[in-house]
Amino acid sequence: MRIRLDVNARPCLFGKSEGISVYAEHIILRLIKRNGEAKFRLFFDRRGGIERYQSQNVESRRLFPPTRHRLLWSWWFDQSLSSVVRKSHADLFYSPEAHGCTRVSTPQLITIHDLGFERRPQDLPRVLADHYRKRTPELAHRAAAILTVSEDVRKDLIEIYSIPVEKIHLVSPALPDFFDQNRVGAHEVSPLDTELYFAVLGAIHPRKNPETVLKAFQLYRERGGRAALVFIGKPFGFYEDAFKALISKHPFRSDIKTLGWVGQREKRVLLGRARALLFPSWFEGFGLPILEAFALGVPVLASNRSSLPEVGGDAAVYLEPGDADAWALAMLDLEGQIPAGFEPRARARLDAYSWDRSVGVLEDLMVRYARA
């Protein structure tokens, strides 16, 4: 494939091994490796980590300013990035996140991971929800094609933004490279001083529904449950005080661990030693922690909303996200035993997703939409 591709590589350097940053890194590195005859220009908003993406067919550039505020996002995309793309001779622009260029003639492939800000705007600060609700539909209609990560998000794009179905293409995530389909070994040391616990993995904010987890944990312990509760992830800034207040008032707060962000190896050990992953989100575009838990042989209790049943298939247990009593009962069940037939069903769900298959879809789209 001999094309010239400009790439928004900003998410690759977010510094968090989850979500969009994992997706962007895995897709972009595979694109570079598989397409030695293509020419890539990668655009970043910070320096640390750029060296990971160096190759003979890659030019990397840092553009000012670092995008640590929504106003700086707009500046970076609308001014800095759009200016260099507009002047380039690229055949195509690719973004692994729901941001793109304005006032450029280069065809754009844009990835929209979810429309949670449309379905549940109350989970974000109003100014941030309004920002996404204004820019995302404009970008979606301007793009040559939209990539997304699940059939559930595809349906939302059609229903909410009236995007033609033929314009939307599925380029899903898969199991991250730093996981493997093996249980955590005895030699892999856990930083925790407890061996029995349920894990909650990922960024902490209202959409992730920590309130139900904490209510369920109280009911679970009051009914004789023995496990601790471990949050692996950091609260969003706007939610940090509210989350700390929930923990401080909890009657079993001494058995609740909040670890913040951890490294990839530590994350694997922490999740792999958990009795189960609790994933009660009100809304998710995909739900990568489900695959990570399955790879380690860890059962999953998940919300029955949005994309989660699509990702977990018949290998997870699904519950209403607001029903703390049902979550407590399910936790008590899992403390005793793993669901029958869990492991073969979990392996089948892992096999349903492949980075190479997804990159193959993207490569076909690149050829289709590159300008002549």
Side-chain angles (χ1 to χ4, degrees):
M1 180 172 58
R2 295 185 177 182
I3 69 170
R4 295 160 299 178
L5 186 70
D6 282 351
V7 180
N8 163 29
R10 183 185 81 106
C12 295
L13 303 184
F14 282 175
K16 305 169 185 176
S17 58
E18 56 89 38
I20 294 175
S21 59
V22 170
Y23 180 88
E25 175 182 309
H26 283 69
I27 293 286
I28 290 172
L29 286 175
R30 279 170 170 77
L31 274 178
I32 293 169
K33 185 176 180 180
R34 288 165 53 125
N35 295 279
E37 294 184 341
K39 299 296 183 183
F40 296 89
R41 288 205 309 170
L42 307 186
F43 297 102
F44 301 86
D45 70 332
R46 60 201 79 184
R47 292 193 185 281
I50 288 180
E51 64 279 355
R52 289 198 62 212
Y53 301 87
Q54 298 308 305
S55 178
Q56 289 185 342
N57 59 336
V58 173
E59 175 190 345
S60 296
R61 290 184 59 183
R62 173 183 172 269
L63 302 178
F64 183 83
T67 56
R68 291 179 171 86
H69 185 278
R70 63 182 177 82
L71 296 179
L72 297 178
W73 299 342
S74 299
W75 180 357
W76 197 81
F77 284 99
D78 296 348
Q79 303 297 328
S80 301
L81 183 60
S82 290
S83 177
V84 296
V85 172
R86 191 161 50 243
K87 296 173 184 176
S88 79
H89 301 288
D91 301 306
L92 194 66
F93 173 83
Y94 166 62
S95 176
E97 63 173 335
H99 290 291
C101 297
T102 56
R103 300 182 298 277
V104 301
S105 60
T106 308
Q108 301 185 59
L109 303 181
I110 305 298
T111 308
I112 298 179
H113 290 262
D114 68 73
L115 295 184
F117 50 88
E118 298 283 6
R119 292 297 192 191
R120 291 185 57 85
Q122 68 270 29
D123 291 339
L124 290 170
R126 181 174 178 178
V127 67
L128 192 57
D130 288 349
H131 173 84
Y132 284 126
R133 296 176 83 180
K134 178 179 184 297
R135 290 184 66 94
T136 306
E138 292 177 356
L139 181 64
H141 286 283
R142 181 186 302 124
I146 299 169
L147 316 179
T148 195
V149 295
S150 67
E151 291 291 350
D152 189 75
V153 182
R154 191 205 301 261
K155 291 175 185 175
D156 279 352
L157 287 164
I158 295 168
E159 177 182 337
I160 298 174
Y161 291 160
S162 301
I163 304 296
V165 64
E166 62 272 12
K167 187 176 177 177
I168 309 168
H169 307 272
L170 204 61
V171 180
S172 299
L175 184 69
D177 292 340
F178 51 84
F179 276 78
D180 58 45
Q181 297 186 43
N182 294 297
R183 296 183 182 277
V184 172
H187 65 285
E188 298 180 85
V189 179
S190 170
L192 294 177
D193 57 3
T194 180
E195 295 183 358
L196 183 61
Y197 59 91
F198 292 96
V200 182
L201 176 62
I204 303 169
H205 56 80
R207 193 176 82 178
K208 300 290 186 176
N209 195 15
E211 290 89 348
T212 291
V213 168
L214 291 168
K215 290 177 184 176
F217 183 62
Q218 178 178 345
L219 294 173
Y220 159 80
R221 291 299 297 266
E222 289 172 348
R223 294 169 184 175
R226 298 177 295 110
L229 180 64
V230 177
F231 286 88
I232 308 167
K234 185 178 179 181
F236 274 47
F238 70 86
Y239 188 61
E240 188 168 4
D241 289 343
F243 180 67
K244 287 180 178 178
L246 288 172
I247 300 294
S248 68
K249 297 173 184 176
H250 201 282
F252 297 96
R253 57 186 172 275
S254 62
D255 291 313
I256 300 173
K257 314 290 184 183
T258 55
L259 304 183
W261 295 115
V262 299
Q264 295 173 353
R265 186 170 299 176
E266 188 177 2
K267 171 182 167 182
R268 181 182 179 278
V269 173
L270 288 165
L271 180 57
R273 291 261 169 79
R275 195 72 191 117
L277 170 70
L278 308 182
F279 205 178
S281 298
W282 293 106
F283 189 93
E284 292 285 346
F286 188 80
L288 198 55
I290 292 178
L291 299 186
E292 295 172 339
F294 286 172
L296 300 173
V298 175
V300 175
L301 299 180
S303 164
N304 60 6
R305 303 288 180 89
S306 61
S307 66
L308 298 184
E310 176 185 339
V311 176
D314 62 356
V317 175
Y318 302 101
L319 304 161
E320 280 290 335
D323 191 346
D325 189 69
W327 284 82
L329 291 173
M331 291 163 70
L332 285 167
D333 287 342
L334 279 177
E335 184 180 313
Q337 61 182 358
I338 292 177
F342 162 68
E343 293 200 16
R345 291 197 295 266
R347 286 194 295 271
R349 295 313 302 154
L350 292 168
D351 291 343
Y353 296 99
S354 161
W355 291 113
D356 286 332
R357 285 200 298 269
S358 289
V359 170
V361 172
L362 177 54
E363 289 167 341
D364 290 344
L365 294 172
M366 288 164 59
V367 172
R368 184 190 311 180
Y369 289 103
R371 62 183 174 188

